Amino acid sequence: MDRDGLADFLRRRRETLQPGDVGMTVGPRRRATGLRREEVASLSGMSTDYYARLEQRRGPRPSEQMLLAIARGLRLSIDERDHLFRLAGHTPPVRSRRSDHVSPPLMRVLDRLEDTPALILSDLGETLVQNRLAVALLGDHSRFTGPERSGFYRWFTDPDERRRYPEDAHEHQTRQQAAGLRAAVTLRGDDPRAGELVADLLARSPEFAAVWDLHEVGQRFDEHKTLIHPELGPIEVDCQVLLTQDQAQVLLVLTAPPGTAGYEQLQLLSTIGTERFGTAPSGV
């Protein structure tokens, strides 16, 4: 671990970022030339003390998970992410056409979406990052690990996943989930991750095996859907999507027209935030 190099790299990258680059507003009395340490820590989902110790050449070597969080918080490119890993004494993640490294253009758009739920998904249905309102509406997806990171996988193995949808929408969602996973398998080619996910589901879920045999394929996102919130009940939302050029990641934005019940419910979520709702079951 190159403590001096790591500390210098983090400080210099932090100082080059402006609040507007990450969707933050600038107060009239702000004097910092770049982001503050506490702001980077918040963006990375860690304590200010932990991040400060890295810049001060103190503390233990950060884990790979922590480094990925810092790379996301500092909006690093893939080359910068790999450099960060090497400075911390880790081997950088294997690069492939499909990567968990969030697309910087999608991240820049997400940074500016403060008043409506939005999240970035991989083609395997893994939530890579959520904004505050997406956590309030859908729950915190960052708690999932292993195959459960995939929403496709959870739909067929976790009963809580379906509680976000009305029962009369379950059959439609089931076929849509299988079609989306088949699209990922097709796009990924010889990448084994998608194939392993399919094999695991075939072994665990007769329902998945039956719908998989239909050979439906396609990345599908409903333009309009109803989500069931555990406290606020059914919320009708419109869905807009923005795909990367290689279709490896998608930004999903959930909105409701002003004057509708859905709009008022999202406004209420914006006020309350995650204080009561952040631990609820999640699904997209």
Side-chain angles (χ1 to χ4, degrees), residues 131-202:
N131 68 5
R132 181 181 66 92
L133 279 180
V135 174
L137 176 63
L138 304 168
D140 185 1
H141 292 185
S142 66
R143 73 182 188 275
F144 296 114
T145 59
E148 290 185 349
R149 289 186 61 208
S150 169
F152 299 140
Y153 184 87
R154 296 195 305 273
W155 182 262
F156 292 99
T157 61
D158 184 355
D160 284 341
E161 191 74 9
R162 304 194 179 198
R163 295 177 183 173
R164 286 294 182 181
Y165 287 89
E167 288 189 12
D168 60 7
H170 286 186
E171 181 179 355
H172 168 72
Q173 281 297 319
T174 294
R175 296 179 66 166
Q176 193 172 60
Q177 299 288 338
L181 180 53
R182 190 177 288 278
V185 171
T186 301
L187 289 169
R188 284 175 173 254
D190 58 359
D191 187 333
R193 288 183 62 198
E196 292 170 358
L197 199 61
V198 171
D200 196 354
L201 282 172
L202 288 172

Side-chain angles (χ1 to χ4, degrees), residues 96-99 122-125 152 179-195 212 217-221 243-250:
S96 65
R97 192 171 66 87
R98 292 298 192 270
S99 172
S122 75
D123 56 345
L124 286 182
F152 299 140
L181 180 53
R182 190 177 288 278
V185 171
T186 301
L187 289 169
R188 284 175 173 254
D190 58 359
D191 187 333
R193 288 183 62 198
W212 187 251
V217 57
Q219 286 185 317
R220 303 171 183 175
F221 297 92
L243 286 160
T244 55
Q245 187 172 5
D246 63 359
Q247 301 183 54
Q249 295 179 7
V250 59

Side-chain angles (χ1 to χ4, degrees), residues 61-284:
R61 183 174 73 163
S63 67
E64 294 183 3
Q65 183 179 4
M66 282 293 190
L67 292 173
L68 288 172
I70 292 171
R72 183 178 66 247
L74 288 173
R75 309 307 191 247
L76 300 184
S77 68
I78 291 182
D79 288 336
E80 290 169 334
R81 179 206 66 182
D82 289 355
H83 181 60
L84 175 68
F85 267 70
R86 294 189 181 97
L87 289 173
H90 288 285
T91 301
V94 176
R95 295 197 189 191
S96 65
R97 192 171 66 87
R98 292 298 192 270
S99 172
D100 286 349
H101 184 74
V102 180
S103 163
L106 291 189
M107 196 70 203
R108 285 194 293 271
V109 177
L110 180 67
D111 285 335
R112 286 155 175 78
L113 296 173
E114 298 181 353
D115 60 349
T116 196
L119 59 161
I120 297 175
L121 303 166
S122 75
D123 56 345
L124 286 182
E126 300 159 334
T127 300
L128 304 179
V129 61
Q130 299 168 274
N131 68 5
R132 181 181 66 92
L133 279 180
V135 174
L137 176 63
L138 304 168
D140 185 1
H141 292 185
S142 66
R143 73 182 188 275
F144 296 114
T145 59
E148 290 185 349
R149 289 186 61 208
S150 169
F152 299 140
Y153 184 87
R154 296 195 305 273
W155 182 262
F156 292 99
T157 61
D158 184 355
D160 284 341
E161 191 74 9
R162 304 194 179 198
R163 295 177 183 173
R164 286 294 182 181
Y165 287 89
E167 288 189 12
D168 60 7
H170 286 186
E171 181 179 355
H172 168 72
Q173 281 297 319
T174 294
R175 296 179 66 166
Q176 193 172 60
Q177 299 288 338
L181 180 53
R182 190 177 288 278
V185 171
T186 301
L187 289 169
R188 284 175 173 254
D190 58 359
D191 187 333
R193 288 183 62 198
E196 292 170 358
L197 199 61
V198 171
D200 196 354
L201 282 172
L202 288 172
R204 294 194 57 179
S205 172
E207 180 190 30
F208 174 77
V211 74
W212 187 251
D213 282 345
L214 297 176
H215 286 271
E216 295 178 333
V217 57
Q219 286 185 317
R220 303 171 183 175
F221 297 92
D222 295 326
E223 294 183 0
H224 184 84
K225 67 172 63 180
T226 299
L227 296 172
I228 307 297
H229 191 276
E231 299 286 343
L232 301 182
I235 303 177
E236 294 188 21
V237 295
D238 295 325
C239 307
Q240 290 81 39
V241 299
L242 179 62
L243 286 160
T244 55
Q245 187 172 5
D246 63 359
Q247 301 183 54
Q249 295 179 7
V250 59
L251 171 64
L252 179 63
V253 183
L254 305 174
T255 63
T260 64
Y263 180 84
E264 297 300 326
Q265 288 168 305
L266 292 183
Q267 290 293 105
L268 179 57
L269 279 179
S270 179
T271 301
I272 298 175
T274 60
E275 292 182 4
R276 296 178 60 190
F277 305 142
T279 59
S282 61
V284 179

